Amino acid sequence: MRWPEGGVWERAEQTEKQEDQSCLDEQRKRGKRQMSSHRGYGKLILFGEHFVVYKVPALVAAVSDFTDCNVTFKEGGSGISQQDNRPAVPGYKDEKKEEHDQAVGLVLAHMGVDTSKQQVDIVFGGNLTAVSGIGASAAACVALARAVAHAQGRKLTEEEINQAGYEGEKGYHGTPSGIDNTAATYGGILKFQRTEGEPIFLPKTLKVKVEIVYASTGITASTSKVVGDVKKRKEEDPQWFDALLQRYIKLVEEGEKKLEEGDWKRVGELMNDNHELCQELTVSCKELDDLVQVARGAGAIGAKMSGTGRGGLMLALTPGKELQETVAAALKQAGAAHVWCCHLG
């Protein structure tokens, strides 16, 4: 991975912030076990679904919801004992168990833990609901890396934690992009761009935090299939795709600037435009479009799909606690499979 000049993230040390009272009750239901500061954050794509495959920038936001972890070593035993208290959508943990176990093993091996000589007890918790599209696997890997380092009495740099998270992500994705574990480690906003060599990650700082709502359609789509469909259409009609790509490049350039300025009204408008581009790419679906329209109708200043599309997640920009609660209630009333409140920044 390519880092900013000098390999140092020009980002202030993150401090723990008190969650808005409006979301606390639901977070307690979702994450009863909030154990420590060994955290990895979830993420959402703000701008760039599918276009990012073709080496143009995307903007990704870590959310305030997190996976937490605690690790205990027991001498004289062997193997791994896991207790997974993360909230999750139905079926997620069963579907992902083999990949999750492999990821845990990769993180432990990377950090020099020999489970043939000591037992490792691992407890996952936190308030990030494990659902496709939110970066749950990376959040777990990063949280685990932090907890292992603590149990070993080691003080690792954020870059070293990030690298351990990346190694764990290989259990889920084979050759991960690195974007999910980087967002899980550092939080905040990231500008990501693929290149012919290593991908570029640049941190972006928000002046103030902003409330969002994200919701699930309850539909899981195959990322490889959707990406393949877009590629096929691109090859069949390159002029059509290039016209969309040029519109997106202008959009993301302005989006980056407005995010830094905290111009939420314009950011919301650009999110709406990005969703329209996704519709034209044929990666949205009726269920996503319906939830996006419900959020806008309830007052969200911007709403779009986030991630693979044809199911999965949508997000709405809802500055202010009152607006956040109103939009969340509207999405629940409209039948969203799951709805979450959190903030960016």
Side-chain angles (χ1 to χ4, degrees), residues 11 14-20 23-24 27 30 34 39-44 61-68 126-129 134 139 183-184 186-189 206 209-214 324 340-345:
R11 178 176 171 80
Q14 290 222 345
T15 58
E16 298 304 329
K17 299 180 180 180
Q18 183 177 5
E19 299 289 349
D20 289 328
C23 289
L24 276 175
Q27 286 178 349
R30 294 190 271 122
Q34 302 201 9
R39 295 179 177 180
Y41 295 94
K43 72 92 180 68
L44 292 165
V63 300
S64 56
D65 286 358
F66 58 87
T67 292
D68 205 345
N127 63 4
L128 178 70
T129 299
I134 198 64
Y186 292 95
I189 308 293
L206 296 183
K209 71 178 182 180
V210 62
E211 291 80 5
I212 65 167
V213 177
Y214 63 101
Q324 182 186 51
W340 301 272
C341 296
C342 62
H343 65 262
L344 306 180

Side-chain angles (χ1 to χ4, degrees), residues 208-229:
V208 294
K209 71 178 182 180
V210 62
E211 291 80 5
I212 65 167
V213 177
Y214 63 101
S216 171
T217 60
I219 301 169
T220 300
S222 166
T223 299
S224 59
K225 182 181 187 306
V226 180
V227 170
D229 287 349

Side-chain angles (χ1 to χ4, degrees), residues 294-327:
V294 166
R296 292 175 187 170
I301 62 175
K304 63 182 286 293
M305 58 165 273
S306 180
T308 296
R310 297 184 187 170
L313 300 176
M314 58 77 63
L315 72 95
L317 186 60
T318 57
K321 180 177 68 173
E322 184 177 352
L323 178 57
Q324 182 186 51
E325 292 175 342
T326 298
V327 172

